[in-house]
Amino acid sequence: MKILVINPGSTSTKMAVYEDLKPQYTTNIHHQAEQLANFADVHDQYDFRRELVLDELKTQGIALDFDAVVGRGGIGKPVLGGVYVINEQMISDNLHATYRHACNLGCKIAYDIAAMIPGCKAFIAEPGVVDELTPMTRLTGRPEMMRSCVWHALNQRAVAKQFAKECGRRYEDLKLIVCHLGGGISIAAHDHGRAVDVNNAINGEGPFSTERSGSFPSSDMVRLCFSGKHTEEELLKMITGQGGVIAHLGTNDMREVMRRIDEGDAYAKLVVEAMVYNVAKWVCALGATFCGDVDAILITGGVAHSTRITDMLRKRIAFLAPVHCYPGENEQGALAEAALAVLKGDTEAQEYK
């Protein structure tokens, strides 16, 4: 089976061609800031990104004869986990979503390219809005403010299944806490195949990350909102994009932060220690989901490439359960695997409604 994978990100578009689960071609098309500055809204980048994908295939001599095109799911309406057939309703919901992110373009690009190929299927899998929270975990102290989640569902679930396979067990039989360390940080309790509790990694819940504020005193934010010093857009950027490490140190590049620490920057060291400490608190808090009976804690994401950070984190959480690291993210491979499972009849794609 020949599968095209399309994964739009904030500043790049990743794409890959697979034959079954064997990658035949992979690339990461980086977009210069001046290119993206030409678009008033991220969703206006659709034609630009689609043509880049088609041009890249043409340049590499890759024929449009795919059995499936699978795109990264967007941040639209909450859904249960799994693989979904892309339809017009999904495309509309993603393009009109509250959260404006390039990943919302993934389903439309995949759908339109698949439409160019006779018999080709179009899918998404495990979008960031997979919501399997229990009624108890949704409740907050204000009935008009119920919890929802936006998280790294695709990578977290792929890592959890990889760990289960390595152990000779089924993902659906395990109790895991999975922590994705990236531009955003999501930490989920995977209870027998369902993520029953996970923070919203995009809207100011959980530990702060390289560019997200995480949780902070609510009353201070209310006062800031009514101070007259900031617009709504500026305040939202303080939470997502300009929060966390970048707010403290002026950079979201952890390599630069580590260089400063090595050169004796005490404040940079304090910020990193505080970030790790907050991650550890959230990991341990999810231990309550399983009454402390956790099979393993898995650490993944781009920041997990730093053994200095993962060693600091391991020191604080290893008492709870064995800790295993899976640095980086294999989203393209996970998307290809999900599409192949449907094509081979091993799983059934769900209908998006």
Side-chain angles (χ1 to χ4, degrees):
M1 297 291 183
K2 188 176 176 183
I3 301 167
L4 173 63
V5 177
I6 301 169
N7 184 352
S10 298
T11 59
S12 68
T13 300
K14 298 176 184 176
M15 56 180 288
V17 175
Y18 282 79
E19 287 186 4
D20 288 346
L21 295 181
K22 297 178 181 178
Q24 303 299 308
Y25 177 72
T26 62
T27 188
N28 189 359
I29 306 171
H30 291 278
H31 311 311
Q32 300 299 319
E34 53 268 24
Q35 289 178 306
L36 301 183
N38 294 322
F39 303 98
D41 184 273
V42 67
H43 292 171
D44 297 333
Q45 299 171 16
Y46 166 73
D47 289 327
F48 165 72
R49 293 192 186 235
R50 182 200 61 199
E51 292 307 310
L52 281 176
V53 171
L54 291 172
D55 288 346
E56 185 67 20
L57 292 172
K58 184 177 181 180
T59 299
Q60 299 300 323
I62 299 172
L64 287 176
D65 57 358
F66 300 103
D67 295 289
V69 183
V70 56
R72 179 182 176 187
I75 312 176
K77 185 176 70 176
V79 295
L80 294 176
V83 185
Y84 287 83
V85 176
I86 301 172
N87 58 28
E88 296 284 354
Q89 184 62 54
M90 179 191 296
I91 292 170
S92 177
D93 287 351
N94 276 269
L95 294 182
H96 295 92
T98 301
Y99 296 114
R100 316 297 281 181
H101 192 281
C103 66
N104 291 346
L105 301 173
C107 62
K108 181 167 174 56
I109 296 174
Y111 182 82
D112 287 350
I113 292 179
M116 301 167 62
I117 307 166
C120 185
K121 308 293 186 182
F123 305 116
I124 65 163
E126 304 292 351
V129 286
V130 166
D131 189 336
E132 299 165 346
L133 301 185
T134 65
M136 179 176 64
T137 60
R138 293 187 192 282
L139 205 65
T140 75
R142 292 298 313 179
E144 63 269 44
M145 296 182 187
M146 303 294 281
R147 291 184 67 229
S148 62
C149 55
V150 178
W151 58 298
H152 305 88
L154 180 64
N155 187 50
Q156 280 211 26
R157 194 147 272 161
V159 164
K161 290 179 178 179
Q162 180 181 344
F163 171 77
K165 185 177 181 180
E166 291 171 358
C167 294
R169 301 180 65 183
R170 297 171 68 248
Y171 166 58
E172 293 77 11
D173 294 333
L174 294 170
K175 294 175 286 186
L176 304 170
I177 296 174
V178 187
C179 176
H180 180 109
L181 303 176
I185 293 175
S186 63
I187 306 170
H190 295 247
D191 188 1
H192 295 85
R194 292 176 64 87
V196 295
D197 195 1
V198 56
N199 64 303
N200 191 319
I202 202 169
N203 80 343
E205 184 187 37
F208 71 82
S209 68
T210 57
E211 55 187 43
R212 311 279 165 78
S213 68
S215 301
F216 50 73
S218 303
S219 57
D220 288 350
M221 189 62 179
V222 171
R223 293 188 184 97
L224 197 60
C225 289
F226 286 90
S227 69
K229 297 178 180 179
H230 305 282
T231 66
E232 180 182 359
E233 183 177 356
E234 288 171 342
L235 289 165
L236 289 172
K237 284 184 178 178
M238 288 183 185
I239 294 172
T240 304
Q242 295 297 320
V245 173
I246 196 171
H248 286 282
L249 302 176
T251 181
N252 60 0
D253 187 339
M254 290 305 294
R255 293 166 299 182
E256 165 66 15
V257 173
M258 292 304 182
R259 183 189 64 78
R260 294 186 194 179
I261 293 173
D262 290 339
E263 293 177 353
D265 188 329
Y267 189 62
K269 183 173 182 289
L270 176 63
V271 169
V272 170
E273 288 175 344
M275 182 179 75
V276 171
Y277 173 68
N278 277 272
V279 171
K281 284 202 300 182
W282 276 80
V283 168
C284 294
L286 284 184
T289 305
F290 306 111
C291 298
D293 182 17
V294 183
D295 290 308
I297 301 168
L298 312 181
I299 304 173
T300 184
V303 177
H305 282 294
S306 170
T307 55
R308 207 174 345 173
I309 287 178
T310 56
D311 286 349
M312 291 168 60
L313 182 56
R314 188 191 300 269
K315 184 178 179 180
R316 292 188 177 275
I317 63 177
F319 74 92
L320 182 60
V323 179
H324 303 266
C325 290
Y326 296 85
E329 52 192 49
N330 184 25
E331 292 181 334
Q332 280 71 257
L335 288 170
E337 184 175 3
L340 182 63
V342 175
L343 293 175
K344 293 176 66 176
D346 295 335
T347 190
E348 185 175 347
Q350 301 178 64
E351 179 184 357
Y352 180 89
K353 298 178 181 180

